[in-house]
Amino acid sequence: MAEILYPLVITTARGLFKALDLRIEVNGAERVPRSGGAVLVSNHVSYLDFIFVGYGAYPSRRLVRFMAKKEVFAHRVSGPLMRGMRHIPVDRSAGAGAYGSAVAALRAGEVVGVFAEATISRSFTLKDLKNGAVRMASQAEVPLIPVTVWGTQRMWTKGRPKALTQRHVPITVDVGEPLFPKAGQDIAELADGLRTRMSEQLDRVQRSYPEIPQGVWWQPTHLGGTAPTPEEAAALDAAERASRRRG
């Protein structure tokens, strides 16, 4: 079923992209291998990022199995779609199961998508990364490919109204040079190197974006925007977590 549903979803998404005249630029798509396992590890600025990161693998005809929180799979609309496309549910209170499923998928030759920041970055800069993507790529001995997506935050991001019908939005998907971690390598060292590379990649993509207006909410502060600073964003995230705990 997955290979019937997933291509249908991709075809539908491409039709919507065309209808909205989204100006999508994909760079480095040839770096996604046409066969064999790989981890695509991306920054996270929008609820739509998985669509566009997956689109970056489309030229290689690869279907990306994304790791996503289990609540998405419980939703009456998104749940059947996520399960039908064989994405991987993550229970944050018991992550070992999802990790094992991802490693098994990689060893079976699948491409697995990971948002290593775990949550959307309100500051639109790179947050600290969880090391799961590095660990699974190392354990499965598959390429670890950094991906940057930018522009999607203008359509739907945390704390802002949806603008899903906005037209002519430039969106960049940048597929970086792969890393090739091996079992036994120092995970902390690999994770630090990945974060440095992804930070540089995100900054380059942001600075080469077709539109860099001053004073807009969707631009990070270091480029003249009014998004929360990383410190302000961290405080907002902490407040949100506290609110969830209170019920």
PDB file of all heavy atoms in Angstrom, residues 35-49:
ATOM      1  N   SER A  35      19.994   4.332  -4.396  1.00  0.00           N
ATOM      2  CA  SER A  35      19.716   3.046  -3.761  1.00  0.00           C
ATOM      3  C   SER A  35      20.463   2.987  -2.438  1.00  0.00           C
ATOM      4  O   SER A  35      21.418   3.742  -2.212  1.00  0.00           O
ATOM      5  CB  SER A  35      20.143   1.881  -4.661  1.00  0.00           C
ATOM      6  OG  SER A  35      21.547   1.916  -4.882  1.00  0.00           O
ATOM      7  N   GLY A  36      20.027   2.115  -1.566  1.00  0.00           N
ATOM      8  CA  GLY A  36      20.686   1.943  -0.282  1.00  0.00           C
ATOM      9  C   GLY A  36      20.182   2.913   0.764  1.00  0.00           C
ATOM     10  O   GLY A  36      19.533   3.917   0.470  1.00  0.00           O
ATOM     11  N   GLY A  37      20.487   2.619   2.015  1.00  0.00           N
ATOM     12  CA  GLY A  37      20.036   3.427   3.133  1.00  0.00           C
ATOM     13  C   GLY A  37      20.751   4.761   3.224  1.00  0.00           C
ATOM     14  O   GLY A  37      21.892   4.915   2.774  1.00  0.00           O
ATOM     15  N   ALA A  38      20.079   5.748   3.811  1.00  0.00           N
ATOM     16  CA  ALA A  38      20.668   7.060   4.068  1.00  0.00           C
ATOM     17  C   ALA A  38      19.794   7.774   5.088  1.00  0.00           C
ATOM     18  O   ALA A  38      18.581   7.532   5.168  1.00  0.00           O
ATOM     19  CB  ALA A  38      20.775   7.888   2.792  1.00  0.00           C
ATOM     20  N   VAL A  39      20.410   8.641   5.862  1.00  0.00           N
ATOM     21  CA  VAL A  39      19.683   9.498   6.797  1.00  0.00           C
ATOM     22  C   VAL A  39      19.709  10.916   6.258  1.00  0.00           C
ATOM     23  O   VAL A  39      20.787  11.472   5.996  1.00  0.00           O
ATOM     24  CB  VAL A  39      20.310   9.473   8.207  1.00  0.00           C
ATOM     25  CG1 VAL A  39      19.579  10.450   9.134  1.00  0.00           C
ATOM     26  CG2 VAL A  39      20.278   8.072   8.794  1.00  0.00           C
ATOM     27  N   LEU A  40      18.539  11.503   6.058  1.00  0.00           N
ATOM     28  CA  LEU A  40      18.438  12.924   5.739  1.00  0.00           C
ATOM     29  C   LEU A  40      18.137  13.650   7.037  1.00  0.00           C
ATOM     30  O   LEU A  40      17.095  13.417   7.654  1.00  0.00           O
ATOM     31  CB  LEU A  40      17.318  13.186   4.726  1.00  0.00           C
ATOM     32  CG  LEU A  40      17.412  12.528   3.355  1.00  0.00           C
ATOM     33  CD1 LEU A  40      16.281  13.036   2.451  1.00  0.00           C
ATOM     34  CD2 LEU A  40      18.752  12.779   2.710  1.00  0.00           C
ATOM     35  N   VAL A  41      19.039  14.514   7.473  1.00  0.00           N
ATOM     36  CA  VAL A  41      18.849  15.243   8.722  1.00  0.00           C
ATOM     37  C   VAL A  41      18.677  16.718   8.390  1.00  0.00           C
ATOM     38  O   VAL A  41      19.522  17.329   7.747  1.00  0.00           O
ATOM     39  CB  VAL A  41      20.017  14.994   9.707  1.00  0.00           C
ATOM     40  CG1 VAL A  41      21.368  15.344   9.095  1.00  0.00           C
ATOM     41  CG2 VAL A  41      19.801  15.749  11.008  1.00  0.00           C
ATOM     42  N   SER A  42      17.542  17.287   8.808  1.00  0.00           N
ATOM     43  CA  SER A  42      17.169  18.626   8.361  1.00  0.00           C
ATOM     44  C   SER A  42      16.958  19.575   9.535  1.00  0.00           C
ATOM     45  O   SER A  42      16.619  19.158  10.651  1.00  0.00           O
ATOM     46  CB  SER A  42      15.873  18.545   7.540  1.00  0.00           C
ATOM     47  OG  SER A  42      15.404  19.828   7.168  1.00  0.00           O
ATOM     48  N   ASN A  43      17.119  20.867   9.235  1.00  0.00           N
ATOM     49  CA  ASN A  43      16.646  21.891  10.165  1.00  0.00           C
ATOM     50  C   ASN A  43      15.121  21.870  10.163  1.00  0.00           C
ATOM     51  O   ASN A  43      14.495  21.174   9.360  1.00  0.00           O
ATOM     52  CB  ASN A  43      17.181  23.268   9.775  1.00  0.00           C
ATOM     53  CG  ASN A  43      16.562  23.787   8.485  1.00  0.00           C
ATOM     54  OD1 ASN A  43      16.488  23.080   7.474  1.00  0.00           O
ATOM     55  ND2 ASN A  43      16.118  25.031   8.496  1.00  0.00           N
ATOM     56  N   HIS A  44      14.506  22.648  11.064  1.00  0.00           N
ATOM     57  CA  HIS A  44      13.046  22.556  11.218  1.00  0.00           C
ATOM     58  C   HIS A  44      12.482  23.946  11.517  1.00  0.00           C
ATOM     59  O   HIS A  44      12.642  24.461  12.623  1.00  0.00           O
ATOM     60  CB  HIS A  44      12.740  21.598  12.364  1.00  0.00           C
ATOM     61  CG  HIS A  44      11.366  21.002  12.334  1.00  0.00           C
ATOM     62  ND1 HIS A  44      10.489  21.164  11.280  1.00  0.00           N
ATOM     63  CD2 HIS A  44      10.709  20.240  13.253  1.00  0.00           C
ATOM     64  CE1 HIS A  44       9.359  20.508  11.553  1.00  0.00           C
ATOM     65  NE2 HIS A  44       9.464  19.946  12.741  1.00  0.00           N
ATOM     66  N   VAL A  45      11.814  24.542  10.521  1.00  0.00           N
ATOM     67  CA  VAL A  45      11.249  25.884  10.698  1.00  0.00           C
ATOM     68  C   VAL A  45       9.748  25.931  10.452  1.00  0.00           C
ATOM     69  O   VAL A  45       9.124  26.976  10.640  1.00  0.00           O
ATOM     70  CB  VAL A  45      11.950  26.919   9.776  1.00  0.00           C
ATOM     71  CG1 VAL A  45      13.405  27.105  10.180  1.00  0.00           C
ATOM     72  CG2 VAL A  45      11.833  26.519   8.304  1.00  0.00           C
ATOM     73  N   SER A  46       9.144  24.799  10.031  1.00  0.00           N
ATOM     74  CA  SER A  46       7.740  24.818   9.628  1.00  0.00           C
ATOM     75  C   SER A  46       7.112  23.446   9.796  1.00  0.00           C
ATOM     76  O   SER A  46       7.801  22.423   9.754  1.00  0.00           O
ATOM     77  CB  SER A  46       7.624  25.252   8.156  1.00  0.00           C
ATOM     78  OG  SER A  46       6.337  24.994   7.634  1.00  0.00           O
ATOM     79  N   TYR A  47       5.796  23.436   9.958  1.00  0.00           N
ATOM     80  CA  TYR A  47       5.059  22.176   9.987  1.00  0.00           C
ATOM     81  C   TYR A  47       5.042  21.499   8.617  1.00  0.00           C
ATOM     82  O   TYR A  47       4.658  20.330   8.512  1.00  0.00           O
ATOM     83  CB  TYR A  47       3.623  22.424  10.446  1.00  0.00           C
ATOM     84  CG  TYR A  47       3.517  22.891  11.877  1.00  0.00           C
ATOM     85  CD1 TYR A  47       3.175  24.211  12.178  1.00  0.00           C
ATOM     86  CD2 TYR A  47       3.763  22.026  12.938  1.00  0.00           C
ATOM     87  CE1 TYR A  47       3.078  24.646  13.489  1.00  0.00           C
ATOM     88  CE2 TYR A  47       3.666  22.450  14.252  1.00  0.00           C
ATOM     89  CZ  TYR A  47       3.328  23.762  14.525  1.00  0.00           C
ATOM     90  OH  TYR A  47       3.238  24.193  15.830  1.00  0.00           O
ATOM     91  N   LEU A  48       5.458  22.205   7.591  1.00  0.00           N
ATOM     92  CA  LEU A  48       5.449  21.671   6.228  1.00  0.00           C
ATOM     93  C   LEU A  48       6.807  21.124   5.786  1.00  0.00           C
ATOM     94  O   LEU A  48       6.933  20.632   4.663  1.00  0.00           O
ATOM     95  CB  LEU A  48       5.018  22.773   5.240  1.00  0.00           C
ATOM     96  CG  LEU A  48       3.675  23.451   5.509  1.00  0.00           C
ATOM     97  CD1 LEU A  48       3.459  24.591   4.513  1.00  0.00           C
ATOM     98  CD2 LEU A  48       2.536  22.458   5.430  1.00  0.00           C
ATOM     99  N   ASP A  49       7.799  21.186   6.647  1.00  0.00           N
ATOM    100  CA  ASP A  49       9.164  20.868   6.224  1.00  0.00           C
ATOM    101  C   ASP A  49       9.307  19.466   5.650  1.00  0.00           C
ATOM    102  O   ASP A  49      10.050  19.245   4.690  1.00  0.00           O
ATOM    103  CB  ASP A  49      10.136  21.040   7.390  1.00  0.00           C
ATOM    104  CG  ASP A  49      10.355  22.494   7.759  1.00  0.00           C
ATOM    105  OD1 ASP A  49      10.076  23.374   6.920  1.00  0.00           O
ATOM    106  OD2 ASP A  49      10.803  22.753   8.893  1.00  0.00           O
TER     107      ASP A  49
END
